[in-house]
Amino acid sequence: MQIILLGTAAGGGFPQWNCWCPSCRVARADPQRALPRSQSAAAVSADGERWFLLNASPDIHAQLGRLPRGAPSGVRYAPVEGVVLTDAELDHTLGLVLLREAGFLQVAATEAVREILEHDSCLLRVTSAFAQVRVAELVPGQAAPLGYRDGCPSGLSVTPFLVPAGPPRFAAADRTGHTVGLLLGDEATGGTAVFAPGCGGIDATVLDALGRAELVLFDGTFWSDEELVTLGISDRTARQMDHLPVSGPGGSLERLAALPAVRRVYTHINNTNPMLLEDSPERAEVERHGLRVGADGMRFTL
Ligand code: MLT
Ligand code: MN
Ligand code: ZN
């Protein structure tokens, strides 16, 4: 199983179009010290040519251009076999409508995510006006095989697990399953990975999934709980926004450092997070704990 981090920034990207926080300033002035990043998405493949997208970001056009692929099988071809969603947030789903030329599009999502996409953001309804969209329901705690568009099995499976979080702010209801992490498995190699770009805490369910994975790709949105408050950007803390901060007591760095997983990498990193700066003390602290700060294009084989 191969996994590529297609985009490692949180919503808005890095630098964010309208942001002049300290790290966005560095990213504009000296990109060597702060690599630009597109919005959060990843891709998984059993053969390195046929890929399942993990979330569909607004930056999907550029991200697909960087996906390894085989020889085009026809005049219309993309190496995308389907999209697996962790939630219905805009940074993870706006790319769906940008795939409307697909003809036939496979989507895997929980019932809660499907409902939000159908009735609240209407992205599924809009996409379905252009493409034939087939949504396979993911049930938290149950492994689901990932099948190719032609119906053949890929040998990959995905098991969604509930993570602590609130629903998107445009969701009409707070349905169970609106936000999940994904435990990915490859039956051929036995490889396992967790993809959890949005996670408000590490409870027993999350810990169980993390403990099964060799590779953990985890929510690195905010460095500290007060990050946006201190910058005067928001009056809500990281935890109030359903993102467990990286630093501090009970933060994700402390928790993830204690995991058996050999590889632990942050993704979905907000542009304000100082660990994005290559030479920051925060970056050094992450690496001292044996973790890495994700960057677009990072590849893993399991
Ligand atoms: C989040 O990660 O909390 C959401 O994507 C928020 C947003 O950008 O709308
Ligand atoms: Mn987000
Ligand atoms: Zn910024």
Side-chain angles (χ1 to χ4, degrees):
M1 165 165 70
Q2 292 184 43
I3 297 181
I4 300 184
L5 285 176
L6 295 174
T8 50
F14 182 58
Q16 180 170 312
W17 62 284
N18 63 346
C19 191
W20 295 88
C21 75
S23 43
C24 282
R25 283 174 188 266
V26 174
R28 286 195 186 89
D30 190 358
Q32 301 276 57
R33 282 185 57 215
L35 297 178
R37 286 164 167 83
S38 64
Q39 294 170 84
S40 168
V44 61
S45 172
D47 63 7
E49 294 189 350
R50 290 174 289 180
W51 296 88
F52 295 90
L53 299 180
L54 308 179
N55 292 332
S57 97
D59 300 319
I60 198 164
H61 186 281
Q63 292 172 345
L64 290 184
R66 295 195 290 267
L67 262 188
R69 53 173 170 75
S73 51
V75 68
R76 286 285 170 88
Y77 162 84
V80 177
E81 296 291 331
V83 183
V84 186
L85 299 173
T86 59
D87 55 71
E89 294 286 359
L90 295 178
D91 52 351
H92 292 158
T93 54
L94 277 172
L96 285 177
V97 289
L98 305 179
L99 293 177
R100 69 187 181 282
E101 296 92 351
F104 169 53
L105 188 59
Q106 297 200 96
V107 176
T110 63
E111 189 189 0
V113 168
R114 187 179 54 75
E115 283 288 311
I116 298 168
L117 291 174
E118 189 69 35
H119 302 293
D120 298 329
S121 71
C122 301
L123 292 177
L124 210 46
R125 223 146 37 82
V126 172
T127 309
S128 302
F130 298 86
Q132 185 201 338
V133 184
R134 187 170 67 204
V135 184
E137 187 183 329
L138 294 177
V139 179
Q142 289 184 19
L146 290 178
Y148 293 127
R149 286 154 49 98
D150 62 9
C152 292
S154 67
L156 302 177
S157 69
V158 58
T159 310
F161 56 93
L162 297 174
V163 302
R169 57 169 91 182
F170 48 83
D174 186 352
R175 296 184 189 87
T176 302
H178 58 67
T179 310
V180 295
L182 305 174
L183 174 63
L184 301 156
D186 181 346
E187 70 181 26
T189 66
T192 50
V194 156
F195 180 64
C199 188
I202 299 180
D203 61 11
T205 303
V206 176
L207 199 57
D208 178 67
L210 295 176
R212 293 168 192 267
E214 294 158 57
L215 167 69
V216 170
L217 304 167
F218 195 82
D219 183 343
T221 311
F222 298 113
W223 178 258
S224 66
D225 206 28
E226 297 286 321
E227 189 163 316
L228 294 188
V229 180
T230 306
L231 286 164
I233 291 174
S234 170
D235 51 14
R236 295 197 301 160
T237 64
R239 284 185 168 86
Q240 285 168 347
M241 295 173 78
D242 302 309
H243 294 292
L244 180 65
V246 172
S247 68
S252 62
L253 189 54
E254 185 185 281
R255 305 291 307 274
L256 298 182
L259 290 176
V262 183
R263 290 179 277 181
R264 293 151 295 180
V265 181
Y266 281 116
T267 189
H268 189 281
I269 306 159
N270 199 56
N271 58 82
T272 50
N273 190 328
M275 72 183 185
L276 286 170
L277 303 182
E278 304 286 323
D279 54 4
S280 65
E282 291 84 359
R283 170 67 65 89
E285 190 175 337
V286 168
E287 292 177 351
R288 211 168 39 244
H289 282 79
L291 277 80
R292 292 170 76 191
V293 174
D296 293 15
M298 268 188 188
R299 276 176 91 142
F300 309 92
T301 303
L302 298 147

